[in-house]
């Protein structure tokens, strides 16, 4: 089955700086790569996703890049704010989100 | 509000007890799944269902049973709770636009 690795496990940045989280996946058949944000005591929430027919997607301060050849994808958050502090998960799946596998998570702390 | 509802939010069980974690969604999604979240291990798939009457195993199915008699409901049963099942459990439903997670059930087995 699919195996997703995520780095780093913790990340601390100063407010206004950029944050980058990286993931690799093992199954070349995977074609859907979402990112989730989990705040304390809540379930994960989808913040951005990318499909394998595109290399980059942006939504305001967040962007995701995908390199299918190398089987890795990254989350970029620019101009970080304290409310960006949370645990972020990457995930990968094949065909309409079935059997999605998650990375171990990155705890992002944005210091004011 | 549309979404995924999980009950209970907290539960303490004694070793050997059984219980059912409830999950309901009102978005008419065919696909539903159960994950457990443990520190440093992310979310691991326990069981999933692609529609009413159809279920399958994920990464860590041992000790858990599921059934899907309706589109809306996908309960997770612990037959004989063990301390290794202490975790936070999340139910999710999804369509092609992505996953929607419930708020979780924190289970402690003593």
């Amino acid at each position: 089955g699919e195996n997703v690795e995520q780095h780093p496990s913790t990340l601390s940045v100063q407010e206004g700086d950029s944050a980058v989280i990286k993931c690799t996946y093992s199954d070349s058949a995977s074609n859907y790569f979402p990112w989730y944000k989990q705040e304390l005591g809540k379930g994960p929430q989808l913040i951005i996703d990318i499909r394998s027919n595109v290399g980059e997607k942006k939504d305001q301060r967040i962007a995701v890049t995908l390199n299918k050849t190398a089987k890795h994808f990254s989350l970029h958050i620019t101009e970080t704010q304290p409310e960006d502090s949370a645990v972020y998960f990457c995930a990968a799946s094949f065909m309409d989100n079935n059997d999605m596998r998650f990375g171990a998570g990155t705890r992002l702390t944005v210091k004011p | 509000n549309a979404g995924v509802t999980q009950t209970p939010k907290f539960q303490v069980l004694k070793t050997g007890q059984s219980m059912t974690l409830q999950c309901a969604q009102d978005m008419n999604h065919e696909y539903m799944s159960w994950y457990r979240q443990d520190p440093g291990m992310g979310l691991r798939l326990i069981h999933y269902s692609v529609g009413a009457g159809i279920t399958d195993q994920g990464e860590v199915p041992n000790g858990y049973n599921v059934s899907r008699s309706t589109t809306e409901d996908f309960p997770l049963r612990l037959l004989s709770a063990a301390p290794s099942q202490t975790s936070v459990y999340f139910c999710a439903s999804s369509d092609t636009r992505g996953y929607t997670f419930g708020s979780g059930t924190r289970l402690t087995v003593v």
Side-chain angles (χ1 to χ4, degrees), chain A residues 22-79:
Chain A
K22 298 182 179 182
C23 288
T24 60
Y25 62 99
S26 60
D27 189 348
S28 57
S30 290
N31 60 4
Y32 176 67
F33 308 94
W35 286 88
Y36 290 84
K37 176 182 181 183
Q38 185 179 29
E39 296 175 331
L40 197 62
K42 297 183 179 180
Q45 283 198 300
L46 179 69
I47 55 172
I48 195 168
D49 57 15
I50 191 167
R51 297 185 186 273
S52 59
N53 56 342
V54 297
E56 183 175 359
K57 184 176 178 180
K58 286 187 77 172
D59 183 4
Q60 299 182 341
R61 295 187 298 109
I62 60 173
V64 57
T65 58
L66 171 65
N67 183 328
K68 280 225 81 178
T69 303
K71 289 190 281 189
H72 66 70
F73 55 113
S74 302
L75 178 72
H76 305 253
I77 306 174
T78 58
E79 300 172 26

Side-chain angles (χ1 to χ4, degrees), chain B residues 4-105:
Chain B
V4 179
T5 303
Q6 286 185 243
T7 56
K9 292 191 183 301
F10 302 95
Q11 183 71 48
V12 178
L13 286 180
K14 293 183 179 178
T15 297
Q17 285 186 317
S18 62
M19 80 159 295
T20 299
L21 280 63
Q22 301 291 344
C23 176
Q25 54 99 0
D26 58 3
M27 296 171 285
N28 203 32
H29 289 167
E30 291 295 325
Y31 188 82
M32 296 184 74
S33 50
W34 276 100
Y35 288 85
R36 60 178 288 174
Q37 184 174 30
D38 302 296
M41 302 188 73
L43 293 148
R44 292 184 292 167
L45 182 65
I46 304 171
H47 285 285
Y48 65 95
S49 169
V50 299
I54 307 169
T55 64
D56 207 346
Q57 296 181 350
E59 297 175 79
V60 289
N62 293 341
Y64 307 95
N65 275 359
V66 291
S67 59
R68 185 95 179 270
S69 55
T70 67
T71 300
E72 295 77 20
D73 299 300
F74 190 43
L76 179 72
R77 297 184 186 86
L78 282 71
L79 303 176
S80 178
S84 61
Q85 293 179 303
T86 293
S87 188
V88 181
Y89 291 84
F90 287 99
C91 177
S93 73
S94 68
D95 61 9
T96 55
R97 289 167 294 182
Y99 275 47
T100 300
F101 284 88
S103 56
T105 295

Side-chain angles (χ1 to χ4, degrees), chain A residues 84-104:
Chain A
D84 294 329
S85 295
V87 178
Y88 291 80
F89 291 98
C90 63
S93 72
F94 172 68
M95 293 292 287
D96 296 334
N97 311 325
N98 287 352
D99 193 7
M100 185 169 296
R101 302 300 173 103
F102 287 78

